[in-house]
Amino acid sequence: MATAYIPIESALSDKQIGKSVSIRGWIYRKRDQKELIFLIIRDSSDMIQAVIKKDSKAWKSAEKITIESSCELSGKIKKDARAPTGYELDVSDLKIIGLAERFPIAKDVSEEFLLDIRHLSIRSQRLQQVWKIRSTVFTAFREFFLQRGYYETHAPFFTKTSESGLELFEVDYFGKKTRLAQTWQFYAEALLPVLEKIFTIAPSFRAEKSKTARHLTEYWHGEMEAAWMDLAGLAKVCEELISYICQKVAKDCAKELKLLGRDSKQFAAVKPPFPRITYTDALKLLKKDGMKVTWGKDLRTPEEKQLTTHYDKPVIVTHYPKEVMAFYKPKDPKDKKTALCFDVLAPELGFEIIGGSERDLDIKEMTKILKQRGEDPKDYDWYFDTRRYGAVPHAGFGMGMDRIVQWICGLESIKDAIPFPRTMERLTP
Ligand code: 4AD
Ligand code: MG
């Protein structure tokens, strides 16, 4: 009969005490004593201490086994308060599956070195929690929209359309020049007359020259677009989505959050309504804090950071100056200097996790801005057809998936929110 292996997590239970179990995984730590060898075995679910006695038939393999070797073990479960996860496996059999060479990660290696060997350093216990939370965040995003009758759709990554004004990756496409997509939005707008409510999760590409803790050149972008929706309706979807993600992570990932030193109660408490403030009022608040921003300038990192210190939930900053916004964000008819748009800034993190807006229906206005910004309006002619044939009021937003993971996990850098980060300086592994 084939051996039934159980996840380590299920071995860590009073119900298993005295029982024989089989587990498999990788060696996380090894400590040799004269008569005993202690191993810590990890799998995707958890870790457990294993002890091998000198008179056991597993002793020879235990002597030979190295850090990060893969193996199969059988033995009896004991309770042991001194063991890292409270239980210990008294090993009777140990089979080495893949004997590891000397693992290159020791204490005191630099951050850069860890990124150079990211394909190995992704195994760390800390990052393992991040990957699990990241998976839950992506699942929550999908669930939220599917439950509300949205359809998942996809757009090309080779495209000439862009947010404009942002850095682009130009690529050679069989001798023609094209670009890597910065957003799914333009294609989403074309799909609205057929599907009305849609979303996607896909990579977006930004040739950001900035070396900051919040910028990737390839990041995961969760976007939604809905027909017949205005800014107030959009802001509501936004706060409900963030809350849904936080509730799900708090409920399903309490153990992972704890291992990262995060409190699941903090995220269970992230519920609508979120505070809303206009850009103009935000400047007044910043002025009181001693930060002077000239009206018309976009908010910079220190200003966004300062603003978020006033709130313990994400804050929705609305009505930014029209001048500095993407070409498709329409004027507010009540105050034409501002646009019908918002950014959502996360507390602690202190920067933007979501950007959204109503969409302009005025082809002339959009053409004028594109020209001013050095774009060729011809590249957007197909997009303007969405306005020519049965346009309806509509709105949408984009969420930086890696940024929301960064916030929830409490990570210094966005690089640790994604398994294989791409930045200005990092293209491998
Ligand atoms: O604000 P952005 O540029 O908005 C758009 O692209 C819209 N077309 C989205 C839409 O309305 N469908 O980007 C949206 C979000 C930002 O709020 C930020 O969280 C994230 O994408 N983002 C980045 N994340 C990581 N690295 C970067 N370089 C990012 N640039 C934007
Ligand atoms: Mg933005």
Side-chain angles (χ1 to χ4, degrees), residues 163 166 182-186 204 206 208 214-225 328-329 343-344 352-357 359 396-403 414:
E163 285 286 302
L166 296 177
Q182 295 182 321
T183 177
W184 146 102
Q185 180 192 323
F186 306 110
S204 275
R206 308 274 164 109
E208 312 261 12
R214 58 193 268 195
H215 287 108
L216 295 167
T217 50
E218 178 186 307
Y219 73 95
W220 283 78
H221 202 170
E223 297 182 85
M224 61 73 63
E225 197 75 26
Y328 55 75
K329 297 189 186 177
D343 276 0
V344 182
E352 175 193 343
I353 51 171
I354 287 187
S357 77
R359 312 309 193 189
F397 63 71
M399 169 187 275
M401 301 299 287
D402 319 281
R403 286 188 184 180
I414 196 168

Side-chain angles (χ1 to χ4, degrees), residues 259-279:
L259 282 166
L260 290 173
R262 303 293 276 165
D263 183 2
S264 53
K265 280 199 221 93
Q266 176 195 342
F267 295 100
V270 179
K271 287 190 179 151
F274 292 174
R276 288 157 170 73
I277 186 171
T278 63
Y279 163 88

Side-chain angles (χ1 to χ4, degrees), residues 332-347:
D332 179 357
K334 291 197 213 109
D335 177 6
K336 297 199 168 136
K337 291 200 309 298
T338 67
L340 293 170
C341 67
F342 60 70
D343 276 0
V344 182
L345 315 179

